[in-house]
Structure formats: C-alpha cells, structure tokens
C-alpha cells in the first residue's frame, strides 16, 4: 500500500481533474499488499485486494475518527478521471471526516479511463470485468474494518454514474442505495462488439417500457428476491454527452425495479432551477429520487451535491462531527440582491437562532443557473457557481446564540438575478427570507 496526502480542489471540473490525474498516479507508487488497516486521513492505494479481472486500482480513504463498523461509500470516477482525481475533486473525504465512514475510490487502468458498463461480462453478477473488481474492494474493506454490510453505497459521475447503475443491478444484495450524477440506465450502454461506447444510448434514443428496463436489471442476478437498493439520479436538461432522455429512462427502470408507481409522490424545487421528484414515498429516503437541473449540461456535479446524496443515503444524521453544529431550524438567513445589466451584488445575513455557539461555520447555498461569483467579502466562496460553500473568515468564525454575521459577493448573471436558495449552516437547514 502507498499513500498520498489529500489536497482538496475547489471544484470538480473534469477538464481540470483530467490534467491532475496523470500527476496523481505518478505521485502514488504501487507497493505490495498488506492485510492490516491503512493509515488514516490520507489516500492509500491497496493492492492484492482479491479477484480483479480488469486490473482496476483500489484507493481507500479512512478518516481519523472512523466509527466502529463503519458505512462504506464507493465513489466512482468519470471518463479520463482516476480514483485520486475523484478524491481531490469531490467532498466525499471531507464528509467521511465528519461522519466516520470509509470511502473506496476505484480507478481504471485501461487507456480510455472509462469504466466497463457495456460488455456482457459487466452486466452480469460475477460475470467478470470491473464490477467484480469493485466487489472485491468492498469485501476487503468489510473484512479489514468490520464494516456494516447494511450500509454500503455507490455513487459516481458520468461513467461512474453509469457504473453506479450497473453495480446496483449486479449486486442488489450488497448496496443499500446509490446516487448517479449524469448517467444512463442499467444495460442502456450494452454492446456485443467489444466497443465501450453506445452512441444510441448516449444520444438518448434507447427507450424501453418500465417493465423492459426492470427486466434488464433482474436478469443480472436471476432468481434474486431480496431487498433492492434505493436510487437517486441527477441530470442536466442540456446534457450533450449523455442526453437528457436517459434521465426519464432511469426513472422508469428503478421505479419498476423497486415496485413503486411512476407518478411522483412528491415534487418540489429545493434550489432555483431544480425539480426534484420522489417516487414511492415523500421523505428524504424515498425508494427513488430524481433531480433535474434546468439549463445545466453534462458536467453538472458541484460542491455540496455529495452532501445531498448523503442525506438520501441516510448517513449524515449521526456520527462524529469536527465542530459544533446548530440543529435544523436553528439558523436564519436573509438574502437580497441588487442587479444591473449582467451583474449583481448580494448581501447575506446569517443568524444563529439556536442555543449553542457555533465555532467555525460553513454556509452552503445554491446560486440560480447563470450566476457566477466574481468576488466576495466576509467569507471564502467555493466554487463560483452552482452549489457554493461560504467558509468563515478568521475574524467572524464564532457565532454566539442570537448573533449574526453579514457577508456578500458580486456576481455575473445571464438574466436571472434572484437570490440563492437551499441554505444550510454546517449541514443544518436554515430558514430563509
């Protein structure tokens, strides 16, 4: 095993991370496998973890405060990416620090750096290829850390989102839930000629009935009658790589697999420009949850979305926390904007309405589509668009009960100058006005 220090990025733009990937691979040399636990608070490559027919690499992140019998999240990268790039470009490791779970980052070694979601071997339980290697990584982690086999989850971006669909189909007895960001249904990318790419599926022209989509999943593990994992899917309406119709086909598939109706039990807009539908139940852990992002392209993932997936998984309702956090409803946010032409300024006031002092705060919110922060004051803002996190400055990091802090930023806009929404303070939902 070998290690590398974590160096978080402020965004997860695949074009940037693709440049990082080669350097990160060079910085993490391969060493012989050992059977003991890996060092904590650092990304570690594990070798010799079990059956691995497609020669994947396994990277593991274990927080200092890993819980007894921890949950496991498998975070799967996009084409041209890598395990280290996924580690650096998403907040899964930071969330692991907060909640004590373990993160596995599978990494492709084939030249395309895309996961196999198309071959007959990949679309069958135990059939070979990438899913078998990922299952071996999970088994190694469960055995090494006595992980909770009832709390194993998969998530991914693009190719990783497609693999999330495949993993939940191949191994329904392993995963409790998945979250797929810009993916396609299980079996949609299937090919028989050895090609990794299916243009009909990527173009959104592969359509089936819900029953047909469900049958594809059920055929991956014939005879299985146990509980099926819940699924959360995300897609941008302007996705030009894996076209938007795939979003509706995923909903068809997983509502059928989970035996719930295709009429939403609840529909809302948690963030301006987002439409969230829930199927089979109305709460945070519905059998199927789908989030459509109006006007957003393929690279929809932004900082803060993983925390929403964590809510769907049910993993951010407990566990150790590195700093005091207000309870839901114990914070209030007032936001206003002053706009002109293609620009605006925003003023945001946060009040701690709870009874506990907050020491060190992060205010998360989502900007309306088309807005990009150009500069700010009172906090550090990352990234500059989408789901943004404002982190306190050195002089205003403490919020006593009933105390307030005012921050602000300047932004460009493309016509929508509305205030941001979806405010949370250290992960707790705030009321807003």
């Amino acid at each position: 095993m070998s290690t590398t220090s974590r160096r978080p990025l402020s965004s997860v733009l695949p074009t940037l991370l693709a440049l990082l990937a080669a350097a990160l691979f060079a910085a993490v040399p391969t060493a012989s496998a050992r059977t003991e636990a890996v060092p904590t608070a650092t990304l570690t490559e594990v070798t010799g973890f079990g059956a691995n027919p497609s020669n994947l690499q396994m990277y593991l992140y274990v927080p200092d405060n890993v819980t007894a019998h921890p949950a496991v999240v498998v975070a799967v990268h996009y084409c041209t990416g890598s395990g280290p790039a996924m580690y650096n470009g998403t907040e899964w490791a930071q969330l692991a620090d907060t909640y004590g779970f373990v993160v596995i980052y599978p990494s492709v070694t084939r030249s395309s750096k895309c996961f196999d979601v198309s071959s007959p071997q990949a679309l069958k339980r135990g059939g070979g290829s990438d899913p078998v290697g990922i299952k071996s990584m999970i088994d190694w982690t469960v055995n090494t850390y006595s992980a909770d086999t009832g709390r194993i989850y998969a998530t991914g971006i693009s190719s990783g989102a497609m693999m999330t669909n495949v993993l939940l189909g191949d191994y329904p007895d392993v995963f409790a839930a998945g979250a797929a960001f810009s993916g396609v249904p299980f079996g949609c990318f299937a090919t028989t000629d050895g090609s990794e790419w299916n243009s009909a599926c990527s173009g959104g022209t592969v359509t089936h009935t819900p029953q047909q989509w469900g049958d594809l999943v059920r055929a991956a593990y014939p005879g299985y009658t146990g509980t099926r994992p819940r699924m959360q899917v995300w897609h941008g309406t302007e996705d030009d790589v894996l076209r938007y119709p795939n979003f509706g086909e995923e909903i068809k598939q997983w509502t059928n697999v989970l035996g719930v109706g295709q009429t939403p039990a609840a529909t809302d807009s948690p963030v301006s420009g987002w439409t969230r539908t829930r199927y089979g139940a109305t709460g945070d852990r519905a059998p199927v949850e789908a989030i459509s992002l109006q006007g957003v392209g393929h690279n929809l993932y932004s900082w803060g979305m993983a925390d929403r997936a964590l809510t769907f998984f049910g993993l951010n309702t407990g566990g150790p926390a590195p700093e005091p956090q207000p309870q839901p409803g114990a914070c209030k946010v007032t936001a206003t904007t002053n706009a002109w032409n293609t620009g605006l300024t925003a003023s945001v006031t946060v009040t701690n309405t709870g009874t506990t002092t907050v020491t060190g705060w992060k205010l998360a919110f989502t900007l309306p589509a088309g807005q990009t922060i150009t500069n700010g004051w009172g906090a550090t803002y990352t990234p500059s668009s989408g789901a943004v996190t404002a982190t306190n400055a050195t002089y205003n990091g403490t919020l006593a009960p009933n105390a307030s802090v005012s921050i602000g930023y300047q932004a460009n806009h493309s016509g929508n100058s509305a205030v941001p929404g979806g405010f949370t303070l250290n992960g707790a939902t705030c009321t807003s006005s």
Side-chain angles (χ1 to χ4, degrees), residues 6 25 32 80 111 133 263 427:
R6 174 155 52 106
F25 274 121
S32 59
T80 75
S111 59
T263 300

Side-chain angles (χ1 to χ4, degrees), residues 37-42 60-73 93-104 140-142 144-148 151 318-322:
V38 304
T40 59
T42 187
L60 194 69
Y61 182 78
V62 180
D64 283 332
N65 58 351
V66 61
T67 61
H69 309 297
V72 178
V73 173
Q94 288 91 329
L95 292 169
D97 288 337
T98 300
Y99 298 106
F101 58 84
V102 175
V103 189
I104 298 171
W140 188 96
T141 304
V142 168
T144 303
Y145 292 93
S146 298
D148 185 347
R151 295 191 300 149

Side-chain angles (χ1 to χ4, degrees), residues 1-7 23-32 34 37-47 58-62 84 87-88 145:
M1 295 181 291
S2 56
T3 64
T4 184
S5 297
R6 174 155 52 106
R7 294 170 292 170
L24 286 166
F25 274 121
V28 187
T30 301
S32 59
R34 297 179 297 183
V38 304
T40 59
T42 187
L43 185 66
T44 303
E45 183 181 2
V46 177
T47 59
M58 173 184 176
Y59 294 88
L60 194 69
Y61 182 78
V62 180
Y87 165 80
N88 278 282
Y145 292 93

